[in-house]
Structures are given as C-alpha cells and as structure tokens.
Amino acid sequence: METLLLEGNEACVRGALAAGCRFYAGYPITPSTEIMEMMARELPKVGGMFIQMEDESASLGAVMGASLAGLKAMPATSGPGFSVMQEHIGFASMAEVPCVIAHVMRGGPSTGLPTQPSQADVMQAAWGTHGDHPIIVLAASSAYETYELTIKAFNLAERYRTPVILLSDAVVAHTREAVTLVQADMEIEERPQPTVSPEEFLAYGDPGNGVPPMPPFGEGYRYHVTGLCHDVRGFPTTRSDEVDFLLRRLLSKISRDSDRLQWFDCWHENSETMVIAYGCVARAALRAVREARDKGLDVGLMKLKVLWPFMSTTVSNVLENCRRVLVPEMNFGQVSREVERVNQGRCEIFTLNKVDGTAITPPEIVRKLEEMHP
Amino acid sequence: MKHKEHLIRKYLRPSKKMPTIWCAGCGIGIFMHALVRAIDRAGYGKDDVVMVSGSGCSSRIPIYLDFNTLHTTHGRALTFATGIKLAKPRLKVITIMGDGDAIAIGGNHLIHAAKRNIEIAAFVINNQVYGMTGGQCSPTTAHGTRTTSSPYGNLESAFDISRVVEAAGAAMVGRATVYHTPLLDRLIDMALHKKGFALVEVIAQCVTYSGRWLGLTSPADMMQWQRDNCVRVERAQGLSEEELAGKIVIGVLTNRERPTYNDEYRKLFAEVSKI
Ligand SMILES: Cc1ncc(C[n+]2csc(CCOP(=O)(O)OP(=O)(O)O)c2C)c(N)n1
Ligand code: SF4
Ligand SMILES: [Mg+2]
C-alpha cells in the first residue's frame, strides 16, 4: 500500500491504470485536462496508447475502436465536451462497447463557468443521448473515492458491456489530499469471452445474464457491430420481435443486477433528519452534520456513490426511518426529484440549491438544517 | 464466372443478408465487388481485416462481408478506425464512407486522419448526393444542381475531396469511377498496401437521386457520363483550367512516404523505455 498526495484527476488516472486501462483518447477541457496530461505521460510507460483527438466525439469513437480491439479504454471531459460526446455514448450503449467516461462537472449551460464546480449534469449523464438506454453513473466525493470508483467503473463497464460515467466536479478534481492506494483489495474484472466456437457464437444473444461475451476483433470471431437495432447476430433489423428483445435485454442486463449497485455511506442512519448528498457537496454535508449534532440536532448523512440506476430501494429504506430529508445540490434539483419520487409523500423533503459557481459550504447546510427544525 | 462464385462463397456472409438494400443499378455494388477482388488478391486472412463504415447507403457494405465489421455513426467511421489501428496495429483497417459522411459531418475527422497519417485504407463513395436520406445536396453536389434540399439550384460549389485530403497530408490519394474499373482495381490495391493514410475517391452513380438531378435516367447513361466527363491525371497536366472545367481528374493524385502515427508511437515507446 502506497500513500500519495493526489488531486481527484490524478487519482482517476491511478485508478484507471490499476484497473488495466491501456488506451486514452481525449480533447483538452477544464477542469478535466489533468487526466489527459497525466495519461499522455503515464500510458507509454506501461505499454499503453495515448492520442489527442480532434474533438470529444472523435475521442469516444477512438476509445470504442480500441475497446472493440480488446483494450480497456477511456476518455475524460467536462461540460461542452460531454455534450459533444452524447451521440457516441448512445452508440456505446447500443452496440455494448465497454468504456469509462470521466466527466468532471463544471458550471453550465454552454461554456458556462469553465473553472468552477457544478452538479448540473446528473440528468444529462443518464439521458443526454437519445433513446431509452442503459447507463451506469457513479459520483466521487474525494480523491480516494475517485481512485476507487474509477477501478469499479472499469469493472462494471466490462461486466455489463456498457458505458460507465464517473462524475466528479471541479472541487473533487482539483483538491489535493492523501490517497492510500489499496488496489490489492480490489478485484479487477475482465470482459467475459465466448465459450463456444465462432460458428455457434451469437454476438448479441442472451447467454442467461443478459450480457453477451465479447471477443476482440481479430481473434477468429468475425461479427457485425452496429448502432442500428440488430438481431442476435448483430445484423440490422426492424422486426418488432427482434427490436423488442434487444431493447429489453439492454435495459434489464443492468436493472436486474441493481442489488449489486448499492454503493453509499451512511452516518447516524436512523436520525430524525437525513441529508442525502453526493460529490463535493457530500464533504460539506459531513462536516455540517457533525456541527449540527454538536448543536443538538438529530441529523445523519447518506452519501450516494451510484446515481444511476438510482438506488431506489436503499434510499427508500433510509426514508422509512426519518421524518425530514435535505438534499443539497449544486443545481436546481436533479437528485432531489429522484428522492421525492422514491419518497411517495412519506417524509418532508427540503432542498438547498446553489448555482453561482461556488461550492456549498458546511455553514450553509447547518443553517438550512436549523431552519428545517421547528 | 467461376472466380466470381468463389469470391461470393468466400467473402459474402451467407446468413440472412440478401438481397442488399441498394437500388438496382446503384454504383455501390460495383465498388464492393472491386474491393472484394482486391482483398482476395492481397491474400489477407478474413480475421485480420476490420471494415469500418459510417452511415449512408455506401456504409452498408460491411454488413454483407465476412470480416470484423463495424457500422458506426454518420461521419465518424475514421475515429473508430483510428482506435482499432492503434490498439491492434497488425489488423488491416479499411473504412468505407459516403461523400456526406466523409466530408460534411465527418470532414474534421477526415482531415485529421490524413494529417496523422494513420495507416487506414479509406474509400469514399462519391455519388454527389445524400442517397440514404432521399437525395439532398451533399458537399460534392455541383453548383446550380436542383436536389430535394436545393429546389432552386445549389448555391454552393463542390468540394474536391481528393484535393482536400491530399492537402491534409495523406500518404496516398487516388480517384476513379466505377466505370473505370481497371484503374479502380489498381487504386484499391495501392491503398490496401500503402503504409499510411490512403484515400480512394470512388465516383459512383446514385441512379435513384443524382441520376435524376443530372437528367440521366438509366445506370448505363450514368456510367457513360462517367466515361465522358473524366480526364486522366497524366493528360490533365497539359490542359488549361478552361479545358478542365467540369471534368473529373482521375488516377493516382498523390503517392508519398511519410511516417505513420504508429511509427511515431513505436519511436516514443523506445524512448520512454530508456527513461
Ligand atoms: C448525426 C446524424 N445526422 C444525420 C443523419 C442522417 N443521415 C444518414 S445517412 C446521411 C447522408 C448520407 O449521404 P452520404 O454520406 O453521401 O452517403 P450515401 O447514402 O450517399 O452513400 C444522413 C444525412 C445521421 N444518421 N446522423
Ligand atoms: S439511393 Fe442512390 S446511393 Fe442509395 S442505394 Fe439507391 S442508387 Fe444507391
Ligand atoms: Mg452520397
């Protein structure tokens, strides 16, 4: 085990390399650029490939090409770059090309606030590309968590053959803190390979768990990959039964496994009031909860590490045992609406929304908690 | 005929995919046949060929062929192809695009692939129209042409795809039509064997749309138009601009040696390993 002083972006690269990422294609954009610069330095040292592409669409295209050829691959981006990537996120979902996309959120819309933090892309991460599609979105609140969740993001991408989006923000990305690299404890998953001959192999069939094995290009399994709706062999189809089978399989391969995607931390779980937070706001919330408890308030915290698919059952269980919930977010209320949906009127839900480009502070959360307590 | 049957059995996917989606008389099939002949001549193993396309009528070619095939987003085939070539340099990477695919929505990717000189054999089927979406203006539609999206005539003049890619740094650029098949064969061979980015612009008829826009109704008329409107590059050198107006210059337009991206990366690996 090694302890290093790392910022979130550096921790992301450490995590990616530990997970076996050997291909990076990107386009510079604040506040994610350090990921690209460090990849450019580090990848050649471990035999990996780095390329600076002409835009973010090209970056994700190249990443998918590398992934189809058998490498674990990622781009990183922010704000406008994430918007440019959306078409290809859909392709990765549809054609089931494993990849991890690190998205360091900054203020928007448009070019917005290049150097300042935000959490306004939570919904975009799930629904930014057109069409109903599966996606996994994780959120990191510290440099260590960025390291850990990057490794897990690669595992999930390989396990489910899906794009996985790792959200962080300008605060997490640029805060330097001690990170102990505990790679040894973490299992590294590789993509499942076919167990049948090329003649029997169905590139887009359902082997039982909804995730078809994925042989790399050039190894004897010649198959067709397309962004069009396709049959079990991968060939374009408009037959309603084949289309229905495909879209339902894509969605269910992740939703049926949602029990394995309940990642969160709780402090003082059975308190009268719970704060539900993620990303850099969860850091402020933890400090705020401690201060509020010192003042005699019965408050706890739930920090979410998975945002999509939303952890409905787990959040519901937390809501069952409290009376009030505060969801502080650096947007106009994106996760709070999911909490409301799960809540079904049981608790009183409060929000604290900040969109001015500065981070939500512990005193702001404490003040809000005091207001909430009659 | 025997040889043709052999090629069909060897390279066309037997399962489910016939007939093709192309209109009768479309030029795309002539190119596909030429490409398959060239791959057979080159002797590549089918597992070692990756064929990547974008979106459009032309981009449907890989569906029918028994290689590692990848049918991507409109305009962005070269980005996927770039990732494949870097990740697994031993693979023969071929891309197929339409004219709109290659130089409208994918123009930036096209010039950058040429600039990087990444070893890809790229084929652009230039039918001067958006075939798949119903005959709209493309970046290679001639000035004044009436199409479904230029009902009063095209206000813009056409891109010369080959010249753009040549200027961007491609190692090899050539242009042929599907009428001039011996030249087409030679250019495909050159592109497949070229170390570096090689582009062949293939002028082909879209009988359903561009034929109509040109006032030509049969595939044969359109191929005669190709015959009558092309000039070999060797002969074009002696002609004035006026004499060349409206003519399509065909032949080998560029052929040069430049280090490829993979070459440069190999050098970088060697240097980094010394640190
Ligand atoms: C982002 C995006 N925009 C538009 C389209 C619709 N579209 C599909 S093919 C095509 C044009 C095809 O023209 P071309 O590339 O010349 O190929 P052709 O059909 O003529 O072979 C368009 C506009 C798309 N698929 N994706
Ligand atoms: S629309 Fe034109 S390009 Fe498309 S298949 Fe028909 S003839 Fe060929
Ligand atoms: Mg066209």
Side-chain angles (χ1 to χ4, degrees):
Chain A
M1 273 201 295
E2 208 182 342
T3 300
L4 299 166
L5 192 62
L6 297 179
E7 60 166 32
N9 281 345
E10 292 168 337
C12 175
V13 174
R14 294 275 180 170
L17 296 176
C21 174
R22 289 297 177 269
F23 187 93
Y24 182 97
Y27 191 81
I29 186 163
T30 308
S32 73
T33 308
E34 294 81 7
I35 298 178
M36 171 179 198
E37 291 174 347
M38 190 166 165
M39 280 292 194
R41 271 197 317 275
E42 297 303 319
L43 268 176
K45 296 183 194 164
V46 295
M49 304 295 293
F50 167 89
I51 186 165
Q52 178 167 334
M53 294 300 285
E54 54 275 18
D55 62 30
E56 290 82 357
S57 172
S59 305
L60 190 48
V63 159
M64 285 193 276
S67 180
L68 285 160
L71 296 187
K72 291 184 183 178
M74 75 178 292
T77 192
S78 297
F82 194 54
S83 294
V84 173
M85 259 180 208
Q86 293 301 329
E87 182 189 23
H88 275 171
I89 292 176
F91 189 93
S93 278
M94 183 60 138
E96 299 177 78
V97 188
C99 53
V100 172
I101 298 149
H103 174 37
V104 184
M105 288 183 284
R106 67 187 222 181
S110 191
T111 31
L113 289 168
T115 58
Q116 283 160 277
S118 152
Q119 296 182 316
D121 306 340
V122 171
M123 285 292 170
Q124 187 195 16
W127 301 116
T129 194
H130 60 282
D132 269 337
H133 59 276
I135 197 92
I136 297 175
V137 180
L138 311 178
S141 69
S142 66
Y144 174 72
E145 243 171 56
T146 309
Y147 171 76
E148 178 195 23
L149 290 180
T150 304
I151 296 179
K152 290 189 168 174
F154 273 99
N155 284 347
L156 296 176
E158 299 294 320
R159 189 195 302 160
Y160 298 112
R161 285 190 64 177
T162 182
V164 177
I165 292 162
L166 174 68
L167 291 181
S168 77
D169 52 64
V171 170
V172 173
H174 289 156
T175 302
R176 223 166 256 287
E177 51 193 339
V179 177
T180 303
L181 308 176
V182 286
Q183 188 199 340
D185 306 3
M186 258 183 267
E187 200 191 326
I188 304 293
E189 295 184 35
E190 305 298 336
R191 72 184 67 145
Q193 291 302 307
T195 51
V196 298
S197 70
E199 291 71 37
E200 294 165 280
F201 176 60
L202 290 179
Y204 289 92
D206 183 353
N209 66 349
V211 189
M214 183 180 171
F217 277 169
E219 306 295 336
Y221 289 82
R222 296 185 302 278
Y223 58 98
H224 186 64
V225 180
T226 179
L228 290 169
C229 282
H230 42 275
D231 63 18
V232 290
R233 293 173 178 280
F235 296 123
T237 182
T238 54
R239 249 178 63 180
S240 53
D241 57 333
E242 292 176 336
V243 172
D244 190 75
F245 170 81
L246 168 69
L247 296 186
R248 288 184 193 282
R249 178 177 65 73
L250 290 182
L251 223 55
S252 76
K253 70 178 176 181
I254 293 168
S255 61
R256 77 168 91 181
D257 237 16
S258 60
D259 285 356
R260 294 176 75 184
L261 293 170
Q262 308 293 312
W263 298 340
F264 60 95
D265 290 328
C266 267
W267 289 265
H268 309 290
E269 191 170 338
N270 295 315
S271 306
E272 206 175 87
T273 301
M274 289 297 290
V275 180
I276 298 181
Y278 57 94
C280 72
V281 177
R283 306 165 72 101
L286 181 57
R287 169 93 176 267
V289 162
R290 285 186 180 136
E291 284 175 17
R293 291 186 73 85
D294 287 346
K295 292 185 175 189
L297 301 182
D298 185 17
V299 190
L301 170 66
M302 179 186 203
K303 175 172 75 181
L304 310 178
K305 297 190 198 174
V306 177
L307 295 185
W308 302 105
F310 194 70
M311 295 183 282
S312 301
T313 317
T314 307
V315 171
S316 181
N317 291 342
V318 169
L319 296 178
E320 193 58 40
N321 297 319
C322 65
R323 285 166 62 182
R324 276 175 236 98
V325 172
L326 171 64
V327 189
E329 287 181 274
M330 294 169 63
N331 56 42
F332 285 121
Q334 300 195 7
V335 164
S336 65
R337 267 174 240 170
E338 285 303 298
V339 175
E340 265 167 39
R341 183 177 62 76
V342 171
N343 183 44
Q344 308 255 339
R346 283 174 293 172
C347 305
E348 235 185 313
I349 310 267
F350 295 83
T351 57
L352 171 59
N353 305 111
K354 206 170 176 193
V355 294
D356 65 1
T358 62
I360 294 178
T361 63
E364 285 168 331
I365 298 174
V366 173
R367 216 172 305 131
K368 183 74 189 181
L369 288 169
E370 282 172 335
E371 278 168 33
M372 285 162 54
H373 278 75
Chain B
M1 202 58 208
K2 240 200 153 123
H3 184 58
K4 198 167 172 182
E5 268 175 39
H6 159 77
L7 291 179
I8 289 172
R9 257 197 305 276
K10 185 165 174 193
Y11 294 105
L12 263 61
R13 283 180 161 140
S15 51
K16 199 182 158 179
K17 288 296 121 204
M18 294 297 155
T20 69
I21 65 150
W22 300 309
C23 309
C26 175
I28 294 173
I30 302 174
F31 166 72
M32 180 163 95
H33 186 189
L35 180 62
V36 167
R37 285 196 306 270
I39 289 173
D40 195 59
R41 277 194 297 277
Y44 302 128
K46 291 197 285 185
D47 290 328
D48 298 330
V49 174
V50 182
M51 203 171 270
V52 189
S53 66
S55 282
C57 297
S58 318
S59 290
R60 294 287 176 129
I61 287 177
I63 297 173
Y64 306 106
L65 299 178
D66 190 16
F67 303 109
N68 305 282
T69 54
L70 173 59
H71 179 200
T72 73
T73 46
H74 188 30
R76 319 207 189 281
L78 285 168
T79 69
F80 289 75
T82 298
I84 294 167
K85 188 64 192 176
L86 296 187
K88 238 183 200 169
R90 73 167 167 84
L91 295 176
K92 185 74 227 166
V93 181
I94 296 169
T95 65
I96 296 165
M97 298 168 280
D99 45 307
D101 217 20
I103 206 162
I105 194 162
N108 197 21
H109 307 313
L110 181 66
I111 57 175
H112 277 84
K115 162 190 179 276
R116 283 182 193 115
N117 199 27
I118 179 113
E119 190 183 320
I120 293 171
F123 300 96
V124 177
I125 317 266
N126 182 359
N127 51 16
Q128 297 101 22
V129 77
Y130 283 6
M132 175 126 281
T133 43
Q136 297 81 17
C137 248
S138 100
T140 53
T141 302
H143 181 262
T145 309
R146 290 173 193 264
T147 72
T148 48
S149 63
S150 59
Y152 307 107
N154 183 13
L155 304 181
E156 304 177 29
S157 46
F159 252 129
D160 184 330
I161 298 178
S162 290
R163 292 295 180 201
V164 170
V165 174
E166 183 184 347
M172 183 229 141
V173 178
R175 179 159 46 207
T177 76
V178 292
Y179 172 84
H180 299 89
T181 41
L183 174 64
L184 182 60
D185 286 350
R186 189 157 64 88
L187 293 182
I188 299 175
D189 285 342
M190 277 181 74
L192 290 179
H193 290 108
K194 189 70 197 176
K195 293 270 164 275
F197 188 77
L199 177 116
V200 179
E201 182 182 347
V202 184
I203 309 288
Q205 69 276 15
C206 165
V207 283
T208 303
Y209 298 111
S210 52
R212 218 187 301 161
W213 308 153
L214 288 167
L216 302 168
T217 46
S218 83
D221 287 345
M222 292 198 70
M223 292 184 73
Q224 273 163 17
W225 180 90
Q226 290 164 17
R227 179 195 62 196
D228 298 338
N229 283 279
C230 288
V231 182
R232 298 272 171 169
V233 63
E234 297 79 9
R235 206 165 84 74
Q237 273 149 11
L239 298 179
S240 68
E241 229 171 87
E242 292 81 61
E243 288 169 310
L244 279 173
K247 297 284 180 203
I248 299 167
V249 178
I250 55 172
V252 179
L253 304 179
T254 302
N255 193 13
R256 55 192 165 190
E257 303 306 320
R258 274 185 61 208
T260 69
Y261 191 90
N262 284 83
D263 291 338
E264 294 290 333
Y265 213 94
R266 263 191 300 276
K267 273 192 250 161
L268 181 146
F269 269 145
E271 265 166 47
V272 169
S273 66
K274 274 185 245 147
I275 301 172

